[in-house]
Amino acid sequence: MWKKIPLFLLLLVIGGCSFVGSFAVGAGDDPLNFTTWKPYALGVSALTSAIGLALSLFQMLLGQKPVTLGALTGLLGATEARLRKDIQEAEWAVREVGAEGRAHNSTEHKRTREEIDALKAELLEELRKDRERPLDAEEEARVDQAVERILSSNDARLRPVEEALQNDRVDDAYSRLMGLGKQSQSGASDLASDAFQHFSTAGALYLGRDTAKAIEAFEAARDALPSHFWTHVELSRLYLRAGRTEEAETAARAATAEATNRRDETVAANTLGDVLVRQGRSDEALTAYEEGLDVAHDLLASDPGSAEAKRDVSVSLNKVGDVLVRQGRTEEALTAYEEGLSTRRDLLSSDPGSAEAKRDVSVSLDRVGDVLLRQGRAEEALKAYEEGLSTRRALLASDPGSAEAKRDVVVSLAKLGELAGEAGRVYWAEAHQRVSELHAEGRLDPADAWMLEDTAKRAGITDDA
């Protein structure tokens, strides 16, 4: 009932009580000197009564309903909730951006930037060794950020995590990070960003290692900070890898809802398109990809020199082309692929030393070659495949330990072997050798296990050989 009391009436009551009280209390009852207190009581009475009357008249003139205590407390509660959400997101952003800044500031961190970079390079190399599959560029960047956070943080609780990584105990590091996240949730910290950071760091360490554990960590991160766009994107991709397509779609649509800028919209559209393709909903997937491409084109038009915008356009073009190929629309697909290839060549010319740009060009060359082959233009396809293989051999030579580079060479060799027919055994033999190396190193993606038998068969290699 008290929530329905008009605010102006309450102010009038307070003012009246103050007025009456100023005369009801005698000097003998006031140890602080009644003559000093009385003018203040009268002042309070006059002020509150005046505010109450003014508020009442103002609402009457405007024909508004009186402001009640319930409405006032509701407004204050909503404001507090919004402020808490803003504080949580701002705290996360400050900590995310601040990790690198702390590493640069020698007064806040004992290690120098050079020491951190050296340690990070060592840990990243160790993490690559035991993965079940190679990571793509975005996943590698996420792992890089996670290790950077561990090494740059001033939080003493992360030192055992670092020690575990240095001793190749990734499981221990993961468990400690998950434990820290749960401690933060249980009251050790009133900011969700603490729990979010620990959970997302744990998830990044398990990318390419254990999809189920990575999902568990990113789900916890999502629950700690539901508004974080990239967590929904990562979850959608992980669910898709695990074959959980309905959950992947839910996560992709959540990413769309949490997009905070135009580039996020492009990423969210492509993420949703990937799920729809897996579900066999090619028309819807094409719509999603085309929406992402439109936004990417807009961003590039507004900043023609942006390497990120150019790459985003090329990614969307390839995705659009992939769906068009599925639909048998090869001419349109070839147009999309060739535009993507041209964009990627432009990026490579701007940064000739970029391994990512070189690999992107090789991927586009494969797609162009595939469509040309479908159209019966074998000689043109051969040129595209050969250029792709040359690029990939160079990448592998510059990074012999890269499982991704080795697999890419296998893919190019397989395309050339397929095109060459009976004369292609030399390509298949090398492909089998590369696959066998990955298998022996324990770095052959389980999804690629079929390659061992297939390349051996095509190369004419028997068990007795």
Side-chain angles (χ1 to χ4, degrees):
M1 289 294 294
W2 65 269
K3 292 185 177 180
K4 298 182 179 179
I5 299 174
L7 184 60
F8 76 84
L9 181 59
L10 179 65
L11 292 171
L12 287 173
V13 170
I14 293 173
C17 290
S18 299
F19 182 78
V20 172
S22 66
F23 290 98
V25 179
D29 300 319
D30 181 13
L32 298 179
N33 190 337
F34 171 68
T35 57
T36 300
W37 177 84
K38 183 174 181 179
Y40 289 107
L42 291 172
V44 171
S45 170
L47 180 61
T48 53
S49 298
I51 293 173
L53 287 171
L55 183 60
S56 175
L57 291 172
F58 181 71
Q59 290 175 332
M60 290 174 62
L61 288 172
L62 295 181
Q64 296 178 338
K65 293 181 180 180
V67 177
T68 65
L69 284 177
L72 180 62
T73 55
L75 176 62
L76 292 174
T79 302
E80 180 187 12
R82 180 60 199 171
L83 284 173
R84 281 187 173 274
K85 184 175 185 295
D86 289 344
I87 288 171
Q88 288 176 353
E89 294 185 4
E91 176 70 10
W92 173 83
V94 168
R95 293 182 182 216
E96 185 76 7
V97 174
E100 184 175 354
R102 286 195 300 272
H104 281 286
N105 191 333
S106 61
T107 62
E108 294 184 18
H109 200 285
K110 294 180 181 179
R111 289 176 177 147
T112 65
R113 180 70 256 176
E114 291 74 16
E115 290 172 332
I116 291 175
D117 287 341
L119 277 171
K120 183 167 70 172
E122 290 177 12
L123 293 180
L124 290 174
E125 184 58 34
E126 288 299 317
L127 287 170
R128 289 190 186 100
K129 290 180 179 178
D130 300 322
R131 287 183 184 142
E132 294 181 350
R133 63 176 177 87
L135 304 185
D136 61 30
E138 288 186 358
E139 290 174 319
E140 286 283 8
R142 191 173 291 277
V143 178
D144 186 288
Q145 292 169 1
V147 175
E148 172 78 23
R149 186 179 300 130
I150 293 169
L151 296 177
S152 301
S153 175
N154 290 323
D155 188 345
R157 296 175 300 170
L158 291 180
R159 298 289 68 81
V161 175
E162 178 186 334
E163 181 182 350
L165 289 178
Q166 289 177 334
N167 289 281
D168 199 26
R169 302 196 315 272
V170 183
D171 289 347
D172 184 21
Y174 175 90
S175 298
R176 288 179 180 277
L177 285 164
M178 293 296 287
L180 289 173
K182 291 171 184 176
Q183 286 176 18
S184 297
Q185 282 184 318
S186 65
S189 170
D190 62 354
L191 292 173
S193 60
D194 286 339
F196 168 80
Q197 285 195 35
H198 295 315
F199 289 139
S200 61
T201 301
L205 294 181
Y206 261 85
L207 290 175
R209 289 175 172 274
D210 187 323
T211 299
K213 284 191 173 182
I215 288 175
E216 178 187 359
F218 280 114
E219 283 178 338
R222 173 203 60 199
D223 295 341
L225 197 63
S227 61
H228 192 252
F229 170 77
W230 284 102
T231 301
H232 293 294
V233 171
E234 195 62 64
L235 273 173
S236 180
R237 293 170 178 172
L238 288 167
Y239 286 141
L240 201 58
R241 177 166 284 275
R244 297 159 61 177
T245 57
E246 289 187 7
E247 291 167 282
E249 181 179 353
T250 299
R253 295 192 184 280
T256 301
E258 296 296 343
T260 59
N261 55 58
R262 296 283 280 166
R263 182 170 190 268
D264 284 358
E265 293 174 17
T266 298
V267 174
N270 286 341
T271 302
L272 178 59
D274 292 345
V275 177
L276 296 172
V277 165
R278 181 72 68 85
Q279 294 175 335
R281 298 154 65 182
S282 62
D283 288 341
E284 294 173 76
L286 182 59
T287 298
Y289 288 148
E290 288 177 335
E291 288 176 358
L293 178 59
D294 288 342
V295 175
H297 271 139
D298 289 344
L299 289 172
L300 181 57
S302 64
D303 187 4
S306 169
E308 180 179 69
K310 287 180 182 179
R311 187 175 190 278
D312 286 346
V313 166
S314 73
V315 169
S316 291
L317 283 165
N318 277 356
K319 290 180 180 293
V320 167
D322 291 345
V323 178
L324 292 172
V325 168
R326 286 171 177 264
Q327 295 178 341
R329 299 157 64 180
T330 57
E331 277 299 328
E332 294 170 84
L334 183 59
T335 298
Y337 287 151
E338 287 180 334
E339 183 183 342
L341 175 58
S342 176
T343 302
R344 290 180 167 185
R345 287 193 191 280
D346 183 41
L347 278 169
L348 182 57
S349 66
S350 300
D351 187 5
S354 170
E356 179 182 58
K358 290 176 183 177
R359 183 178 188 274
D360 283 348
V361 167
S362 75
V363 170
S364 289
L365 284 165
D366 275 358
R367 281 177 161 84
V368 169
D370 291 345
V371 176
L372 290 171
L373 195 59
R374 279 173 174 259
Q375 295 178 336
R377 299 157 66 179
E379 289 187 8
E380 294 172 81
L382 178 62
K383 290 180 180 178
Y385 290 153
E386 286 178 337
E387 183 183 348
L389 176 58
S390 176
T391 301
R392 288 170 169 173
R393 285 194 191 282
L395 285 170
L396 181 58
S398 64
D399 187 5
S402 170
E404 179 182 62
K406 196 170 289 187
R407 185 188 186 279
D408 285 345
V409 167
V410 170
V411 170
S412 287
L413 289 167
K415 290 182 181 295
L416 286 166
E418 189 75 36
L419 185 59
E422 286 297 321
R425 283 195 172 187
V426 63
Y427 295 117
W428 288 114
E430 184 183 348
H432 180 68
Q433 176 191 343
R434 302 287 188 185
V435 174
S436 298
E437 289 171 2
L438 287 171
H439 178 66
E441 295 164 0
R443 295 192 295 161
L444 182 65
D445 189 334
D448 292 336
W450 61 273
M451 288 183 173
L452 267 174
E453 182 179 350
D454 187 69
T455 54
K457 180 180 178 181
R458 290 173 181 269
I461 299 173
T462 63
D463 292 337
D464 298 331

